[in-house]
Amino acid sequence: MRPSSEKTDHYGWSGSGQAPLAAFKRITININVSERLEELDLLPITGLDRTLEEKIVINGDRVDLSSALYLEEFRFQGSHLFLAEKLLNLPRAFLTLLSITCSKISVNDTLFTLQACPYLTEATFATVCAEVDCELGNRFDLKLVGKLPSPLLKLTITTSVDVTHFMRSLDWKYVPIITINVLDDGVAAQNWERCFACVPMGTQVTMNGNFSNENMAEIRGDIFCVSFGR
């Protein structure tokens, strides 16, 4: 039985025939990434920040996830702009798995996402890009004081940019399994020593990309448990 429209909606009912969000432990959202912003009912970004008029429109047309109190896993595939401006209040008390794919997200926004979800044990981000290539640019001005505590056990990143800053910003609580898919040959050819300098000893790392034999030898000198793929 759904609560009437006159009563406070404590259980997350939002319209006829919809299940209460509080009943869900896992949510998966797939957005057709080939659709234009207009087809997704999104306002294109024309400046560094939203105007007051744009914010009013956006805030009036968001999906509030705050009633999904027991959400443990959230998988999103599609535009990062849609994720940031259509979905509101992603619960984090029990959230341990987060996957954001088919998006273009900056290094800083990726770190901000981890900071906002402090109990994650598994995270996937694809694709980490240069700010100029991201739909949201660099939305969050994150100023970390010290390192970001991370209970991650499994991290997968697909990237076209250097993720050294991201990796060195994490204070690993456990020995993780890390997969890095490198899309840019120039990034693959970089010196990876600083990137892995703060990774716990015994970390299992998989590097996928166009790595030269010299690159692979250098990385093996930095990480004992590393494997390579294309």
Side-chain angles (χ1 to χ4, degrees):
M1 178 178 178
R2 293 190 304 274
S4 68
S5 58
E6 291 80 19
K7 295 180 180 179
T8 301
D9 184 1
H10 295 291
Y11 302 101
W13 293 103
S14 56
S16 175
Q18 295 191 17
L21 289 175
F24 289 91
K25 291 186 176 181
R26 301 173 184 85
I27 292 178
T28 298
I29 298 176
N30 296 321
I31 303 298
N32 187 342
V33 295
S34 65
E35 292 184 272
R36 295 175 300 176
L37 297 183
E38 295 81 1
E39 294 171 338
L40 292 174
D41 194 26
L42 293 172
L43 294 174
I45 291 182
T46 57
L48 295 178
D49 198 6
R50 290 301 198 183
T51 65
L52 177 60
E53 291 76 13
E54 288 176 332
K55 290 178 181 178
I56 291 174
V57 173
I58 292 167
N59 290 334
D61 190 32
R62 280 182 163 181
V63 177
D64 192 342
L65 298 173
S66 60
S67 60
L69 299 175
Y70 304 106
L71 188 65
E72 297 175 359
E73 300 180 6
F74 183 77
R75 294 175 175 85
F76 178 86
Q77 178 178 313
S79 163
H80 187 217
L81 182 60
F82 187 100
L83 174 63
E85 297 194 340
K86 282 291 189 179
L87 304 178
L88 182 68
N89 296 328
L90 181 66
R92 61 181 190 172
F94 296 96
L95 191 65
T96 57
L97 183 151
L98 176 67
S99 175
I100 300 174
T101 59
C102 296
S103 294
K104 292 182 178 180
I105 182 171
S106 71
V107 170
N108 212 41
D109 286 359
T110 305
L111 273 173
F112 180 89
T113 302
L114 284 187
Q115 184 186 51
C117 303
Y119 307 115
L120 293 178
T121 58
E122 182 173 345
T124 299
F125 298 100
T127 300
V128 179
C129 298
E131 295 173 12
V132 68
D133 296 324
C134 297
E135 294 167 318
L136 288 173
N138 188 43
R139 171 59 63 93
F140 302 107
D141 186 19
L142 181 62
K143 303 296 184 183
L144 289 176
V145 178
K147 291 182 178 289
L148 181 65
S150 173
L152 285 173
L153 297 173
K154 186 175 182 181
L155 172 66
T156 302
I157 294 180
T158 299
T159 182
S160 60
V161 296
D162 181 8
V163 291
T164 297
H165 172 62
F166 174 87
M167 297 293 289
R168 291 179 63 87
S169 296
L170 301 182
D171 180 13
W172 303 91
K173 299 303 180 184
Y174 307 106
V175 178
I177 297 173
I178 299 174
T179 300
I180 301 181
N181 304 309
V182 182
L183 304 181
D184 184 90
D185 290 352
V187 174
Q190 73 179 26
N191 186 329
W192 288 85
E193 181 180 359
R194 291 189 69 254
C195 182
F196 294 119
C198 300
V199 171
M201 185 176 296
T203 296
Q204 297 180 45
V205 177
T206 299
M207 306 284 288
N208 296 315
N210 189 19
F211 295 95
S212 67
N213 290 333
E214 182 180 357
N215 281 140
M216 289 189 285
E218 290 177 351
I219 295 172
R220 287 192 177 101
D222 300 325
I223 304 175
F224 180 73
C225 301
V226 61
S227 59
F228 294 90
R230 292 290 182 179

